[in-house]
Amino acid sequence: MSKTNTTRSVNKTAHPFNRASLEALLNRRFFYAPAFEIYGGIAGLYDYGPPGSSLQANIIAEWRRHFIIQEHMLELDTTILTPSPVFETSGHVARFADWMVKDTKIGEVLRADHLVEGVLEARLKGDKEARGALQEASAVNDKDKKKKKTVKSTAVKLDDAVIAEYENVLAQIDNYTGPELGQLLRKYNITNPTTGNEVDEPVQFNLMFDSSIGPTGKQKGYLRPETAQGHFLNFSRLLDFNNNKLPFASAQIGRSFRNEISPRAGLIRVREFTMAEIEHYVDPLDKSHERFDEAKDIKLRFLPRDVQSRGKTDLIEMSVGEAVEKKIVDNQTLGYFLARVYLYLSRIGIDPARLRFRQHMENEMAHYASDCWDAEIFTSYGWIECVGCADRSAYDLTVHAKKTGAPLVARVALPEPVITEREVATFDKKILGKTFQKDGEALRVHVTELPNDELEIIKDALKTNGSYPVTLPDGRQFSLTSELVTIERRQLKQSIREFTPNVIEPSFGIGRILYALLEHSYWAREQDIQRGVLSLPAVVAPTKVLVVPLSANEKLAPAVAEISSKLRKAGVFSRVDDSTASIGKRYSRNDELGTPYGITIDFATVSNGTVTLRERDTTDQLIGKIDEVTAVVTELVEGSLDWEGACQRLPAYDGVQAID
Amino acid sequence: MSKTNTTRSVNKTAHPFNRASLEALLNRRFFYAPAFEIYGGIAGLYDYGPPGSSLQANIIAEWRRHFIIQEHMLELDTTILTPSPVFETSGHVARFADWMVKDTKIGEVLRADHLVEGVLEARLKGDKEARGALQEASAVNDKDKKKKKTVKSTAVKLDDAVIAEYENVLAQIDNYTGPELGQLLRKYNITNPTTGNEVDEPVQFNLMFDSSIGPTGKQKGYLRPETAQGHFLNFSRLLDFNNNKLPFASAQIGRSFRNEISPRAGLIRVREFTMAEIEHYVDPLDKSHERFDEAKDIKLRFLPRDVQSRGKTDLIEMSVGEAVEKKIVDNQTLGYFLARVYLYLSRIGIDPARLRFRQHMENEMAHYASDCWDAEIFTSYGWIECVGCADRSAYDLTVHAKKTGAPLVARVALPEPVITEREVATFDKKILGKTFQKDGEALRVHVTELPNDELEIIKDALKTNGSYPVTLPDGRQFSLTSELVTIERRQLKQSIREFTPNVIEPSFGIGRILYALLEHSYWAREQDIQRGVLSLPAVVAPTKVLVVPLSANEKLAPAVAEISSKLRKAGVFSRVDDSTASIGKRYSRNDELGTPYGITIDFATVSNGTVTLRERDTTDQLIGKIDEVTAVVTELVEGSLDWEGACQRLPAYDGVQAID
């Protein structure tokens, strides 16, 4: 969190973090709530209310500024509805699935890996209880906490060998196939923990929502599970827009959908969510980045693959430059984006001490990825993947080009033409037709496409023997003769290199980031645990300044209007709270909404034109003339002044105790 | 369009508008393009490329500023996926449908009303051809032009009676039911114009895309066809957020979906689109608006219902205040929003001369609406509905409350408690039970709920006769006696009024507005029809300033960096075009993208620090020091200075002919 230097120290950790309190606040103040609540709700669907929508809009606006505008990315807005052939080609129809099992009696559907994991963990916990040694679960598996279905444990002691076996299974839980999960379910007698009923064999469940496009019912479509395919399909248009120059990036902010088998953990695992995705297209032979120097000294906390494969989670803190140099991070472009992600998340208020970059294990990566680093943020649900930075290599462009015939390639002029020499076979077409009739063309194509070394062998044989036997892949046999074919060494000149770009993809889950930010921002006043505060940075806070008239007395109205108007002209979003609640109550309510500054108008405003300026976290108040205070608060909101600076510009207000 | 006063007059109408040229420009510069183009495309789905995405983002940002921020609306972001019961209640499952027919041989699906309309119009046109009197279709029906499927006409003369009959059918084409359309198809021997095949009976086709939520396949869902239901379901939370005060408005910008039978006309009729919707909740007894004074003098061009019912399309220009006073527009709130819509559309660049407000006919309104005015914009497709302003009355809140039991109501304290007197029936429950056993309760409920006048009759009868016969709606008969029931006049005090708010809904189709804006902005240079220009106002232009170094000479680089940095700090979005194309070519390319200003850096910049500032429409250029020019262009972009003002601040550059 970008801390303001304050004149009064604030203890934000007086009370331990309490998720239930935060959730109560978020629900009460309508940051978000279950969608269709009055209809009983639908798991995994949430609506954002006014403060949540504003916070989300501000997170997105800052994302657009930080990435699209500063990096001159090409923005896209492509459709959510996608015809089936696109996802058949991308592999999603076949592979974007989880394994599920059904309770054989009541038909309840469970995710197979979650079921095995939940039951074995409960048994291990029961064993610890039986041994009288129950402690909090270790932090090693914390990244998976979010996935766990809570299964009640029973105190039953297990054999040491069984414990080792369970732990081994749990360590690999992400790697099992459906049939293997089925074997585990049977081997360990795992039933539905809620009912005790058996479950049937795991079946694949595709996570894409499907629908039908148009009135005929014959055109199957899906709701996109990511925005990425919309970028790739437009690659040629984007390259053209960019004057055929590489590298460049496209960016898109939009809704995606995944039909999760068991949504859980609030905003963390939902069925409809807003993503922000970047697809950065690079020459596979040159993954350097022209602005890498600006990023190379930024220090990040890495959790590389080899550390994890030793069963450890120790973080390595080093500069991006060093990480790229040591090949921990594969290339400059990937490193540059990791640094930019770090800067972005820190700027909107994510605590850098609760942010790490974890490399995917080989078997954990999406089917298209050649390398992947997740920005993970620590929350009360454990470490949560909030940004995935994958090197998708040339996978997507290659498969779509192959399927459609569209040339999804880039061409660069070679600095010098490349001259190569090789053997070239030339047939006498007249003799070819006369000798082999229709079969001749197949022979000709086969021979002209042979590798250079084979052509050299044939050339020698023809020179020596005058003939050479050739067998086509389909078994047809021919005899080549010197009359039929001439093989000569020729020079070939190549001045253009054509290639399929590689794609490096930073992909942001906006809802997860928003939730993590709310956790990192939340605390309660030391003197009153009920007084929750969201210390959102001004850049994302829904309202920047609260304008508070002391009372409803109409003499205060002109100053309220004047301040509101001046703030509006300065581009600072303010709200007036002229309700009849006490000033203290009104500030408390706005501390809950994360409003960083407050301007109080009282009768001193009428008599001598002064107002007070309150800072949310410290509750410190300063006093000044209206123009001074609006100027200071504008600079505070824009980030060109911090609170300590403000305290040097304006005197402290000593009536603070009276009204707060 | 917000015109800048220029020192040189520009003839924007030298060439007649040519849609094909505009579409070629939009496609070439990737404003938007058919989605899944490399897969052959899907009708009614479009992707926005970089300039289109930027333009859309700017249109939305200005909408958010103009409506949400300036009017202190409560923003929402609700889910697209919606469970079926919500749309069953709202009436969409039953009624959000069009009638379609199938070609009996090839299975092609056509919209029934479009088919009848297209064929009859073609026959009327053929008649005119046969009579040698073909003229352009009159403008009366121009609002429907967008719907027409073009049917080729054949010169066949019709009887005068047939002509009258056809014209009568066409005038009512929006009013027929499916079976009636079926009768028309048979009566007039209408076949599929493309194949000549017969079509079968019209069947209803629901325009919502459906899907299944969750893994069981049992939970049916739809993609929302409007964002409105998401507002209504959250009404109680919103009211609470607004401290239980009315009126207030919620606002949402988001994607909606309609499975159109036959998408057409580019962005006008698509299957996936971005909407911006406002739901303004008012007390049905008081539809005044506190800021109406700010709107009342704004003049709009109205097309009221009664003018249309006389078969006319003459527009009535009058102030909003007068329209409300004369009850042409029903109430202040509706009038206020019409004026705000006008201001918004004008500000982003819609030509006010091509904007009208048309009232819906009674039979044309959505099933929930009690009144509706569309902001229609004239384009080459005719008058297009771009903003609908409907009074949805209490319909939605009432049906959802009834279905779910959630009290979607507002309560206001009455200024004075209302004291009413009425007869009240009180039963002796002991005697009631003894006399009628189980039937007694039905009798009691029936009698206590009788209207006051009936109770007075019973009271008199009991006084006179001691008994009174009562028949329940189900036919059961009872005799009331003075022992059983006492009827007395009592005073009732009511201090709270509880009511279901009415909802006034301005609903914006962002894609339609964007397309209309592109048409209104497009023209070609008088001297060269190939040089298309988009005169987008700076507030929505994708790029505000183009920074153009004269050549790639590295001496120019520092000035390019300095200007870019200064513009960035001033919050002005600029792009550098340092390609090798000529300056003139680079400006032409950016005229096509609607970039309003350009700053040229040449060797004079290096020697004496001057740059030139070019205005897109006039191609006028001014000259000044870097700081002067960046200051002037910042004010131009912010709208606090116009081009004439800029011309007074900076001298004209007379080298203009040399480089443009």
Side-chain angles (χ1 to χ4, degrees):
Chain A
M1 199 171 324
S2 71
K3 278 179 193 147
T4 48
N5 294 311
T6 59
T7 50
R8 191 160 74 173
S9 78
V10 179
N11 181 359
K12 292 187 178 176
T13 53
H15 309 288
F17 175 77
N18 181 324
R19 187 160 79 208
S21 299
L22 170 62
E23 284 177 346
L25 184 162
L26 298 177
N27 189 280
R28 187 171 67 245
R29 307 310 307 276
F30 199 11
F31 276 79
Y32 59 89
F36 319 107
E37 199 175 19
I38 66 172
Y39 278 80
I42 295 281
L45 295 179
Y46 289 88
D47 288 344
Y48 289 74
S53 299
S54 270
L55 178 58
Q56 180 184 246
N58 294 340
I59 287 172
I60 288 172
E62 183 56 22
W63 193 91
R64 186 174 263 123
R65 201 190 62 75
H66 186 87
F67 290 103
I68 299 183
I69 294 180
Q70 289 193 357
E71 309 264 0
H72 291 289
M73 293 176 175
L74 304 184
E75 190 168 358
L76 281 176
D77 187 13
T78 70
T79 64
I80 291 166
L81 277 172
T82 306
S84 184
V86 172
F87 288 126
E88 289 163 22
T89 305
S90 68
H92 286 82
V93 168
R95 278 171 293 191
F96 196 71
D98 282 336
W99 294 95
M100 65 174 184
V101 291
K102 254 192 198 159
D103 181 305
T104 49
K105 290 193 182 142
I106 67 164
E108 189 189 357
V109 174
L110 306 165
R111 228 179 99 166
D113 56 343
H114 289 181
L115 174 61
V116 172
E117 195 180 23
V119 168
L120 296 193
E121 283 181 351
R123 289 182 190 170
L124 288 174
K125 195 172 163 216
D127 170 72
K128 283 195 180 147
E129 285 165 359
R131 290 170 191 246
L134 178 62
Q135 292 172 333
E136 282 299 301
S138 81
V140 176
N141 264 326
D142 49 16
K143 88 172 178 73
D144 292 320
K145 265 193 188 160
K146 60 184 183 286
K147 293 190 203 162
K148 284 179 205 162
K149 180 162 175 116
T150 310
V151 178
K152 206 173 169 307
S153 58
T154 320
V156 176
K157 193 167 176 296
L158 305 172
D159 283 351
D160 287 353
V162 172
I163 293 172
E165 208 175 319
Y166 283 5
E167 282 172 349
N168 186 41
V169 169
L170 289 171
Q172 305 177 53
I173 192 70
D174 288 338
N175 306 343
Y176 293 106
T177 64
E180 286 167 350
L181 288 167
Q183 284 166 13
L184 293 173
L185 289 169
R186 286 191 301 276
K187 183 171 175 190
Y188 300 126
N189 288 312
I190 293 174
T191 57
N192 181 351
T194 323
T195 62
N197 300 333
E198 287 189 10
V199 296
D200 56 17
E201 277 303 293
V203 293
Q204 248 185 341
F205 177 70
N206 194 293
L207 298 183
M208 291 193 294
F209 287 95
D210 62 1
S211 194
S212 173
I213 305 173
T216 63
K218 288 175 188 159
Q219 196 158 40
K220 184 165 186 173
Y222 292 99
L223 305 189
R224 67 180 177 203
E226 58 175 18
T227 76
Q229 301 303 320
H231 301 236
F232 304 138
L233 299 186
N234 285 300
F235 172 73
S236 294
R237 283 186 170 273
L238 291 166
L239 181 64
D240 177 60
F241 191 87
N242 205 50
N243 296 325
N244 293 305
K245 280 190 211 161
L246 276 190
F248 72 90
S250 54
Q252 177 166 204
I253 301 153
R255 210 61 77 88
S256 292
F257 297 80
R258 296 183 185 183
N259 198 2
E260 295 288 348
I261 293 170
S262 43
R264 60 185 70 176
L267 297 186
I268 305 298
R269 184 174 295 276
V270 291
R271 287 175 167 153
E272 178 174 340
F273 47 95
T274 299
M275 305 178 88
E277 291 193 305
I278 295 163
E279 309 295 338
H280 182 90
Y281 309 88
V282 291
D283 185 336
L285 301 184
D286 178 13
K287 295 187 179 177
S288 64
H289 194 287
E290 68 169 346
R291 291 172 67 181
F292 187 68
D293 271 359
E294 297 171 31
K296 72 177 180 359
D297 295 328
I298 293 169
K299 288 197 169 178
L300 305 181
R301 287 147 29 102
F302 295 100
L303 177 53
R305 189 179 292 158
D306 64 335
V307 174
Q308 298 169 69
S309 65
R310 293 196 304 272
K312 303 287 184 189
T313 56
D314 305 316
L315 301 181
I316 299 170
E317 183 162 346
M318 66 168 70
S319 72
V320 171
E322 189 183 348
V324 170
E325 204 172 301
K326 291 187 170 162
K327 277 284 172 193
I328 293 170
V329 170
D330 182 65
N331 59 70
Q332 283 192 359
T333 297
L334 196 50
Y336 179 77
F337 276 117
L338 297 185
R340 292 289 293 168
V341 167
Y342 169 88
L343 291 175
Y344 169 71
L345 293 175
S346 308
R347 177 165 166 77
I348 62 168
I350 294 294
D351 178 4
R354 286 181 266 179
L355 174 60
R356 73 180 185 190
F357 290 85
R358 189 180 69 81
Q359 191 173 27
H360 275 208
M361 304 301 288
E362 287 287 353
N363 54 25
E364 182 192 4
M365 286 190 289
H367 59 82
Y368 45 72
S370 73
D371 193 11
C372 188
W373 285 85
D374 285 343
E376 294 187 332
I377 303 177
F378 192 75
T379 71
S380 63
Y381 292 103
W383 287 98
I384 301 296
E385 172 199 345
C386 290
V387 186
C389 294
D391 185 336
R392 294 176 80 127
S393 69
Y395 175 78
D396 303 273
L397 293 178
T398 304
V399 293
H400 287 302
K402 198 172 160 197
K403 177 73 181 180
T404 63
L408 303 179
V409 292
R411 294 154 60 91
V412 292
L414 291 168
E416 309 260 316
V418 174
I419 312 290
T420 48
E421 280 198 354
R422 61 159 293 160
E423 302 295 336
V424 175
T426 316
F427 280 78
D428 183 318
K429 292 204 175 171
K430 210 168 155 186
I431 300 180
L432 182 70
K434 214 182 276 175
T435 319
F436 299 114
Q437 287 84 39
K438 286 184 304 180
D439 293 341
E441 182 58 14
L443 172 66
R444 191 189 68 77
V445 170
H446 176 76
V447 172
T448 52
E449 290 182 355
L450 284 173
N452 195 57
D453 51 353
E454 290 193 37
L455 285 174
E456 281 174 353
I457 291 167
I458 299 174
K459 186 181 184 182
D460 287 349
L462 290 177
K463 201 179 287 176
T464 318
N465 311 330
S467 74
Y468 186 85
V470 169
T471 308
L472 262 49
D474 61 9
R476 283 181 286 177
Q477 296 192 331
F478 299 89
S479 180
L480 292 180
T481 63
S482 306
E483 291 74 43
L484 194 61
V485 66
T486 315
I487 297 178
E488 286 176 331
R489 195 156 191 89
R490 291 212 194 134
Q491 279 199 340
L492 301 172
K493 181 174 156 185
Q494 194 191 1
S495 54
I496 295 280
R497 185 169 64 90
E498 191 177 274
F499 58 91
T500 302
N502 279 17
V503 177
I504 290 169
E505 175 195 79
S507 170
F508 296 67
I510 298 295
R512 289 182 173 193
I513 292 170
L514 180 143
Y515 177 76
L517 173 58
L518 289 169
E519 274 208 6
H520 290 198
S521 302
Y522 178 68
W523 55 288
R525 300 262 180 228
E526 189 169 4
Q527 67 277 24
D528 184 357
I529 195 170
Q530 298 303 320
R531 289 184 58 191
V533 182
L534 286 176
S535 287
L536 297 169
V539 68
V540 291
T543 302
K544 315 303 181 193
V545 180
L546 183 75
V547 178
V548 197
L550 181 68
S551 77
N553 191 300
E554 64 188 15
K555 285 186 182 162
L556 304 184
V560 171
E562 181 188 346
I563 291 167
S564 297
S565 162
K566 283 183 169 157
L567 291 174
R568 186 162 56 238
K569 278 186 190 135
V572 174
F573 181 57
S574 70
R575 277 195 187 264
V576 175
D577 185 348
D578 55 5
S579 69
T580 54
S582 73
I583 292 267
K585 176 82 183 161
R586 282 182 272 170
Y587 272 132
S588 286
R589 282 201 308 227
N590 276 279
D591 290 345
E592 287 190 340
L593 295 176
T595 309
Y597 304 107
I599 294 178
T600 309
I601 291 136
D602 57 18
F603 292 99
T605 314
V606 182
S607 53
N608 57 25
T610 58
V611 293
T612 63
L613 173 62
R614 174 187 187 266
E615 196 274 332
R616 174 194 59 210
D617 295 357
T618 57
T619 70
D620 279 347
Q621 295 200 45
L622 308 178
I623 186 164
K625 298 281 184 187
I626 288 178
D627 283 346
E628 292 169 340
V629 167
T630 52
V632 164
V633 83
T634 301
E635 288 183 51
L636 284 168
V637 168
E638 284 172 351
S640 56
L641 184 71
D642 62 16
W643 186 245
E644 196 172 18
C647 293
Q648 282 154 17
R649 292 259 291 270
L650 295 172
Y653 176 57
D654 45 20
V656 56
Q657 299 306 327
I659 64 161
D660 198 65
Chain B
M1 199 169 324
S2 69
K3 278 182 193 144
T4 49
N5 294 311
T6 59
T7 49
R8 190 161 73 172
S9 78
V10 179
N11 181 359
K12 293 188 178 177
T13 54
H15 309 289
F17 175 77
N18 181 324
R19 188 161 76 208
S21 300
L22 171 62
E23 283 177 347
L25 183 161
L26 298 178
N27 189 280
R28 185 172 69 246
R29 306 311 307 274
F30 199 12
F31 275 79
Y32 59 90
F36 318 108
E37 199 175 19
I38 66 172
Y39 278 80
I42 296 282
L45 295 179
Y46 289 88
D47 288 344
Y48 289 74
S53 299
S54 270
L55 178 58
Q56 178 183 246
N58 294 341
I59 287 173
I60 288 172
E62 183 57 20
W63 194 90
R64 187 173 262 123
R65 201 190 62 76
H66 186 86
F67 290 103
I68 298 184
I69 293 180
Q70 287 193 0
E71 308 264 359
H72 290 289
M73 292 174 175
L74 305 185
E75 190 167 359
L76 280 176
D77 187 12
T78 71
T79 64
I80 291 167
L81 276 173
T82 306
S84 183
V86 172
F87 289 126
E88 289 164 23
T89 305
S90 69
H92 285 83
V93 168
R95 280 171 291 191
F96 196 71
D98 282 336
W99 293 94
M100 64 174 186
V101 291
K102 253 191 198 158
D103 181 305
T104 49
K105 289 191 183 146
I106 67 163
E108 189 189 356
V109 173
L110 306 165
R111 230 178 97 166
D113 55 344
H114 290 182
L115 174 60
V116 172
E117 193 180 25
V119 169
L120 297 193
E121 283 180 352
R123 289 182 189 169
L124 288 174
K125 195 173 163 214
D127 169 72
K128 283 196 179 147
E129 286 164 3
R131 291 169 190 246
L134 180 62
Q135 290 172 333
E136 281 300 300
S138 80
V140 176
N141 264 327
D142 49 15
K143 87 172 180 72
D144 291 320
K145 265 193 189 161
K146 61 183 182 287
K147 292 191 204 161
K148 283 178 207 164
K149 179 159 176 116
T150 310
V151 178
K152 207 174 168 305
S153 58
T154 319
V156 175
K157 192 168 177 296
L158 304 174
D159 285 348
D160 288 353
V162 171
I163 292 174
E165 207 176 318
Y166 283 5
E167 283 174 346
N168 184 41
V169 168
L170 288 171
Q172 306 177 52
I173 192 69
D174 288 339
N175 306 342
Y176 292 106
T177 64
E180 287 167 351
L181 289 167
Q183 285 167 13
L184 294 172
L185 290 168
R186 285 192 301 276
K187 182 171 178 190
Y188 299 126
N189 289 313
I190 294 174
T191 57
N192 181 352
T194 325
T195 62
N197 299 333
E198 289 189 10
V199 297
D200 56 17
E201 278 302 294
V203 291
Q204 247 185 341
F205 177 69
N206 195 293
L207 298 182
M208 291 191 294
F209 288 96
D210 62 1
S211 192
S212 173
I213 305 173
T216 62
K218 289 176 188 161
Q219 197 158 39
K220 184 164 189 173
Y222 292 99
L223 306 188
R224 66 180 177 201
E226 58 175 18
T227 76
Q229 302 304 321
H231 300 237
F232 304 138
L233 299 186
N234 284 301
F235 172 73
S236 294
R237 283 186 170 275
L238 292 165
L239 182 64
D240 177 59
F241 192 85
N242 205 49
N243 296 325
N244 293 302
K245 279 191 214 164
L246 276 191
F248 71 90
S250 54
Q252 178 165 203
I253 302 152
R255 209 61 76 89
S256 293
F257 298 79
R258 297 184 185 182
N259 198 3
E260 295 287 348
I261 293 170
S262 43
R264 60 185 70 175
L267 296 187
I268 305 297
R269 186 175 294 277
V270 292
R271 287 175 167 152
E272 178 175 338
F273 49 95
T274 298
M275 304 178 89
E277 290 193 306
I278 295 163
E279 308 296 337
H280 182 89
Y281 308 90
V282 291
D283 185 336
L285 301 184
D286 178 12
K287 295 187 179 177
S288 64
H289 195 289
E290 68 169 346
R291 291 172 67 180
F292 187 67
D293 271 0
E294 296 170 33
K296 72 178 179 1
D297 296 328
I298 293 169
K299 287 195 171 178
L300 306 181
R301 287 149 25 104
F302 295 100
L303 178 53
R305 189 179 292 157
D306 65 334
V307 173
Q308 297 169 70
S309 65
R310 293 196 305 272
K312 304 288 185 189
T313 56
D314 305 316
L315 300 182
I316 300 170
E317 183 161 346
M318 65 168 71
S319 73
V320 171
E322 189 183 348
V324 170
E325 203 174 301
K326 291 185 171 164
K327 277 285 172 192
I328 292 169
V329 170
D330 181 66
N331 58 69
Q332 283 192 0
T333 297
L334 196 50
Y336 178 77
F337 276 117
L338 297 185
R340 292 288 294 169
V341 166
Y342 170 88
L343 291 174
Y344 170 72
L345 293 174
S346 308
R347 179 166 166 77
I348 63 169
I350 294 295
D351 178 5
R354 284 181 266 179
L355 174 60
R356 73 180 184 189
F357 290 85
R358 189 180 70 80
Q359 191 173 28
H360 275 207
M361 304 301 287
E362 285 288 353
N363 54 26
E364 182 191 4
M365 287 189 289
H367 60 81
Y368 45 73
S370 71
D371 192 12
C372 187
W373 285 86
D374 284 344
E376 294 187 334
I377 304 177
F378 192 75
T379 72
S380 64
Y381 292 103
W383 287 100
I384 301 295
E385 172 199 344
C386 290
V387 186
C389 294
D391 185 336
R392 295 176 79 126
S393 70
Y395 174 79
D396 303 272
L397 294 178
T398 304
V399 293
H400 287 303
K402 197 172 159 194
K403 177 74 180 180
T404 63
L408 303 179
V409 292
R411 294 153 60 91
V412 293
L414 292 167
E416 307 260 316
V418 173
I419 311 290
T420 48
E421 278 198 352
R422 63 160 290 161
E423 302 296 334
V424 176
T426 317
F427 280 77
D428 182 317
K429 293 203 175 171
K430 210 168 156 185
I431 300 177
L432 181 71
K434 214 181 278 177
T435 318
F436 298 114
Q437 287 86 36
K438 287 183 306 181
D439 293 341
E441 183 58 14
L443 172 67
R444 192 190 67 77
V445 169
H446 177 75
V447 172
T448 52
E449 291 182 354
L450 285 172
N452 194 57
D453 51 353
E454 288 193 40
L455 286 175
E456 281 174 354
I457 291 167
I458 299 175
K459 187 181 183 183
D460 287 347
L462 290 177
K463 202 181 284 177
T464 316
N465 309 331
S467 73
Y468 185 83
V470 170
T471 307
L472 262 50
D474 61 9
R476 281 182 287 175
Q477 298 192 328
F478 299 88
S479 179
L480 291 180
T481 63
S482 306
E483 291 74 45
L484 194 60
V485 65
T486 314
I487 297 178
E488 287 175 331
R489 194 155 191 90
R490 290 211 194 138
Q491 280 199 340
L492 301 173
K493 181 175 156 184
Q494 194 191 1
S495 53
I496 294 279
R497 186 167 64 89
E498 191 177 275
F499 59 91
T500 302
N502 278 19
V503 177
I504 290 168
E505 176 196 79
S507 171
F508 296 68
I510 299 296
R512 290 182 171 192
I513 292 170
L514 181 143
Y515 177 76
L517 173 58
L518 289 168
E519 275 208 6
H520 291 197
S521 302
Y522 178 67
W523 55 288
R525 300 263 180 226
E526 188 169 4
Q527 67 277 23
D528 184 357
I529 195 170
Q530 298 303 321
R531 288 183 60 191
V533 182
L534 286 176
S535 286
L536 297 169
V539 67
V540 292
T543 302
K544 316 302 182 193
V545 180
L546 184 75
V547 179
V548 197
L550 181 69
S551 78
N553 191 301
E554 64 188 17
K555 285 186 182 163
L556 304 184
V560 171
E562 182 188 346
I563 291 167
S564 298
S565 161
K566 284 182 170 157
L567 290 174
R568 187 162 56 237
K569 278 189 191 131
V572 174
F573 182 57
S574 71
R575 277 193 187 267
V576 175
D577 184 348
D578 54 5
S579 69
T580 54
S582 73
I583 292 266
K585 176 82 184 159
R586 282 183 272 171
Y587 273 131
S588 286
R589 281 200 310 225
N590 277 277
D591 291 345
E592 287 191 338
L593 296 176
T595 310
Y597 304 105
I599 295 177
T600 310
I601 292 136
D602 57 18
F603 292 100
T605 314
V606 182
S607 54
N608 57 24
T610 57
V611 293
T612 64
L613 173 63
R614 174 189 188 264
E615 196 274 334
R616 173 195 60 208
D617 295 357
T618 57
T619 71
D620 279 347
Q621 295 200 46
L622 309 178
I623 186 163
K625 298 282 184 187
I626 287 179
D627 283 345
E628 292 169 340
V629 167
T630 52
V632 163
V633 84
T634 301
E635 289 182 50
L636 285 168
V637 167
E638 286 173 351
S640 56
L641 184 72
D642 62 17
W643 185 245
E644 195 172 18
C647 294
Q648 282 155 17
R649 291 259 293 268
L650 296 173
Y653 176 57
D654 47 18
V656 56
Q657 300 306 328
I659 66 163
D660 197 63

